[in-house]
Amino acid sequence: MDNGKPIRESRDIDVPVVARHFYHHVGWAQLMDAELADMAPVGVVGQITPWNFPLLMIAWKVAPALAMGNTVILKPASYTRLTALAFAEIVRDVGLPPGVVNVVTGSSRIGQAMVTHPGIDKIAFTGSTEVGRWIREAAAGSGKRLSLELGGKSPFIVFEDADLDSAIEGIVDAIWFNQGEVCCAGSRLLVQESIADRFLDRLRARMEKLRVGDALDKGVDIGAIVSPGQKETIQRYIDIGVAEGATLWQPSCPLPENGYFLRPTLLTNVEPASTVAQDEIFGPVLVSMTFRDPAEAVALANNTRFGLAASVWSENINLALHVAKQIKAGTLWINCTNRFDGNSGFGGYRESGYGREGGYEGLFEYVQPAWQVHKPKASRKKAEPSSNGAEPPATAANGNGAAGWPPIDRTPKMYIGGKQVRPDQGYVRPVLGPNGANGAEAPLVGQVAEGNRKDIRNAVEAAHKAAGWADRTAHNRAQVIYYIAENLAARADEFARRIVQMTGCPIEDARAEVEAAVSRLFSYGAWADKFEGRVHETDFDGLVLATHEPVGVVGIACPDEMPLLGFISLVAPAIAVGNTVVAVPPSRTRSAPPICTRCSTPLTCPAA
């Protein structure tokens, strides 16, 4: 009644999956003390749900939040407030303590107030990419946890050896389920050239049998669009597709005289870069393209800024798995589509958001390490300059280091692309130690290159070129990390002296930091080939393989506390699982203003 979806879908899909989610997470509530012993609830969770699945999205968010011991403030979409208020009646009737679940209805201003409220510890949002982008910006720096499930433009790939009849029914479920108002709708049909004409003919014949009409009619396949504004948006995209050269086809099914109804739509001869192939339409519109071989299928599937879901159809399971692994999407279905279960995590990346809902993976969106609940402030005692055990720091501007080291001219450089490179702007920053005894001037420890935007750009390009690091075996990545650990251990005294010179801590603390960094490297090397996925059993006929994938290029800003251990603790786990890294050392390490390498004067020199 809220959003126009057919009652058959609500009865046979939405409500059973809602019940499944609550039952599944009740089990995790029972097991939390044993299986998540070192975790604690996040606290107060603000949840913003969309209008396309008004009850199912409530279950996806509320069930794990309550199971992990959080309290909830729920803001439903403006179009579907009645469903949320009906759910609130159930909450009241079952005797949940007052204040555990709170439902606040209103316009987008309510959602904005939730995102910016200092008393909310986490925001869970499902909706458009544009709003998700704003939420991320608004919450930046607030310490709020975020999980965002945003838009999609999911590929539906059909190979020539697929069961075509099953694939036809699959595409009907993928794009015309819920009027196509589904974030993971299979809205991009990719068909192998050898079967494209035959497949599309069968698809058109099947579309002729789809019924559009009153959502309360159990025989209706496609109900009403949620609002006149959404209907106008969908029609505008159809017109744009035709204007850009696509061929429009719609069945001859009658439409009700009253209401916001659209016929299921097929656009063929679509270019990969066209608007309808790139933008999320969020309606019953399917765009079709062809491919020649698996490599082209993968390229077309990944030619999108989204990454929510994909569906691969082939009777050759080896081919299906090979292709599925290469598609950049959070959920991959093989010979099925739109299968959801409480024991199966769901979510995407790129502009489809981040975080997971459902399954074991989704629990971690609503817990935090127990030690973070009362996080102690890191501190380090500083020793007297005469008793810290470090070698006297160098005083020459060439950064030769401690006394006794070889007199090598160490030109300050950065490490980019596997080699040392000079900074683009030609500036270096002197690194100073702590103040000396009796107020003496801080000694010069060394010099580091002063980077700029071009240096970051070069580093990001180098990190993308090194993407093959993820394709190496986990055993090989572990070997490399072990080798780094061994080299750090061999130079432990050198690194300990440097830490003392920069921070003024006792030499014992510096040695302990180096030892902890070495141990942590060995630990992350050990985890490289043991950080495995999981196999989930679901209530539908199939298994879910939840596998880990590297994020890609990770930007890391290192903390001020413990300069070596902080760096290792952030960089090592990222590279252990196949990511590449652009790291920026601590910015608050004691330093003087940057100087020009050409004239040794501050940034205001004419050479700048």
Side-chain angles (χ1 to χ4, degrees):
M1 294 177 66
D2 263 358
N3 77 343
K5 69 166 56 196
I7 191 170
R8 175 169 53 84
E9 293 179 359
S10 298
R11 179 197 63 198
D12 297 343
I13 299 175
D14 288 26
V15 173
V17 176
V18 165
R20 164 67 174 157
H21 269 268
F22 278 104
Y23 273 111
H24 176 77
H25 287 95
V26 163
W28 277 118
Q30 178 70 26
L31 297 174
M32 182 180 179
D33 290 342
E35 299 298 322
L36 299 167
D38 298 327
M39 308 302 284
V42 171
V44 178
V45 178
Q47 300 181 325
I48 305 173
T49 57
W51 47 259
N52 58 334
F53 288 93
L55 183 60
L56 182 59
M57 291 297 102
I58 289 175
W60 277 25
K61 287 176 167 53
V62 172
L66 296 185
M68 295 296 100
N70 301 279
T71 56
V72 169
I73 300 173
L74 175 67
K75 190 270 176 191
S78 298
Y79 291 146
T80 52
R81 304 175 190 183
L82 294 179
T83 300
L85 294 174
F87 174 78
E89 292 180 355
I90 296 175
V91 169
R92 179 199 61 195
D93 294 343
V94 300
L96 207 62
V100 174
V101 173
N102 309 273
V103 179
V104 182
T105 60
S107 66
S108 59
R109 291 194 298 271
I110 298 296
Q112 294 171 4
M114 288 174 61
V115 172
T116 57
H117 196 288
I120 293 180
D121 302 297
K122 172 186 167 61
I123 293 293
F125 171 77
T126 296
S128 71
T129 297
E130 291 73 22
V131 175
R133 190 179 292 116
W134 177 87
I135 290 174
R136 189 171 184 177
E137 293 174 356
S142 68
K144 283 184 174 65
R145 299 272 297 273
L146 287 181
S147 55
L148 305 174
E149 198 262 277
L150 309 176
K153 194 71 177 177
S154 302
F156 189 99
I157 305 172
V158 182
F159 285 95
E160 60 187 0
D161 65 344
D163 180 341
L164 299 189
D165 290 333
S166 296
I168 292 292
E169 293 306 311
I171 196 65
V172 170
D173 289 338
I175 184 59
W176 294 303
F177 168 62
N178 203 51
Q179 299 78 248
E181 297 168 330
V182 184
C183 54
C184 58
S187 54
R188 288 189 297 146
L189 173 60
L190 308 179
V191 188
Q192 198 155 12
E193 277 187 359
S194 58
I195 62 166
D197 292 341
R198 180 158 45 106
F199 185 85
L200 291 175
D201 287 342
R202 290 194 189 187
L203 179 59
R204 294 186 185 99
R206 180 65 177 88
M207 292 172 66
E208 283 286 0
K209 297 179 181 179
L210 295 175
R211 292 185 59 194
V212 182
D214 185 355
L216 294 177
D217 184 341
K218 298 177 184 178
V220 161
D221 299 298
I222 300 175
I225 305 300
V226 69
S227 70
Q230 182 64 17
K231 179 185 176 182
E232 291 173 3
T233 297
I234 297 168
Q235 186 60 55
R236 184 170 68 251
Y237 271 114
I238 294 173
D239 296 339
I240 290 173
V242 173
E244 292 181 347
T247 301
L248 170 65
W249 191 90
Q250 293 176 323
S252 57
C253 58
L255 297 181
E257 294 181 0
N258 298 317
Y260 313 124
F261 295 93
L262 280 173
R263 290 185 176 88
T265 300
L266 173 64
L267 295 175
T268 56
N269 300 319
V270 173
E271 293 295 328
S274 65
T275 302
V276 292
Q278 292 295 321
D279 288 3
E280 183 183 36
I281 299 174
F282 220 65
V285 181
L286 177 66
V287 301
S288 176
M289 293 166 278
T290 61
F291 64 88
R292 287 163 290 187
D293 55 33
E296 187 178 11
V298 171
L300 288 171
N302 290 334
N303 182 31
T304 175
R305 63 184 183 274
F306 299 105
L308 190 55
S311 184
V312 179
W313 293 75
S314 172
E315 291 297 283
N316 184 340
I317 192 62
N318 292 325
L319 172 63
L321 290 173
H322 176 71
V323 169
K325 186 177 181 180
Q326 300 177 71
I327 296 175
K328 302 301 182 183
T331 298
L332 275 299
W333 292 294
I334 294 179
N335 293 331
C336 62
T337 191
N338 280 348
R339 304 305 297 268
F340 306 107
D341 185 75
N343 197 24
S344 174
F346 181 82
Y349 47 90
R350 292 179 172 175
E351 290 197 12
S352 292
Y354 53 84
R356 291 295 179 266
E357 293 186 307
Y360 179 75
E361 300 82 14
L363 298 178
F364 291 91
E365 301 297 335
Y366 295 98
V367 294
Q368 61 182 329
W371 59 265
Q372 284 188 353
V373 177
H374 301 291
K375 181 179 179 181
K377 184 175 177 63
S379 62
R380 172 180 262 161
K381 182 181 73 173
K382 289 193 175 182
E384 294 297 326
S386 60
S387 63
N388 60 16
E391 298 289 341
T395 57
N398 62 8
N400 281 338
W405 288 7
I408 300 174
D409 182 14
R410 301 173 182 267
T411 304
K413 298 183 180 71
M414 292 175 287
Y415 185 70
I416 297 176
K419 57 186 178 182
Q420 297 183 18
V421 297
R422 289 182 174 85
D424 170 67
Q425 61 184 358
Y427 281 87
V428 298
R429 181 179 291 273
V431 178
L432 306 178
N435 290 328
N438 301 319
E441 184 179 351
L444 176 68
V445 176
Q447 294 177 334
V448 294
E450 183 75 4
N452 61 10
R453 292 179 63 181
K454 184 177 179 182
D455 295 310
I456 290 292
R457 185 194 69 189
N458 294 340
V460 171
E461 289 179 355
H464 277 290
K465 290 179 180 178
W469 172 251
D471 297 328
R472 295 195 181 192
T473 65
H475 172 67
N476 181 239
R477 294 198 298 268
Q479 286 180 307
V480 173
I481 295 174
Y482 288 150
Y483 185 69
I484 296 173
E486 292 166 357
N487 278 269
L488 178 58
R491 298 174 60 182
D493 289 342
E494 173 191 344
F495 275 84
R497 289 198 303 271
R498 281 294 190 189
I499 292 171
V500 171
Q501 292 167 9
M502 290 190 298
T503 66
C505 71
I507 188 65
E508 294 80 8
D509 287 359
R511 287 171 177 158
E513 180 176 340
V514 176
E515 183 179 347
V518 172
S519 175
R520 200 151 292 183
L521 279 168
F522 277 117
S523 295
Y524 285 121
W527 272 110
D529 61 352
K530 300 173 184 66
F531 188 60
E532 300 170 329
R534 298 169 69 95
V535 177
H536 299 306
E537 294 186 12
T538 64
D539 65 347
F540 55 78
D541 185 17
L543 292 175
V544 173
L545 306 180
T547 61
H548 298 298
E549 288 185 352
V551 173
V553 178
V554 179
I556 294 178
C558 299
D560 297 309
E561 297 83 10
M562 298 194 174
L564 176 63
L565 184 60
F567 176 86
I568 294 297
S569 299
L570 294 174
V571 172
I575 63 175
V577 295
N579 298 287
T580 54
V581 169
V582 177
V584 178
S587 59
R588 279 195 249 169
T589 301
R590 187 175 175 81
S591 60
I595 61 174
C596 178
T597 56
R598 292 188 287 269
C599 60
S600 299
T601 58
L603 273 174
T604 54
C605 76

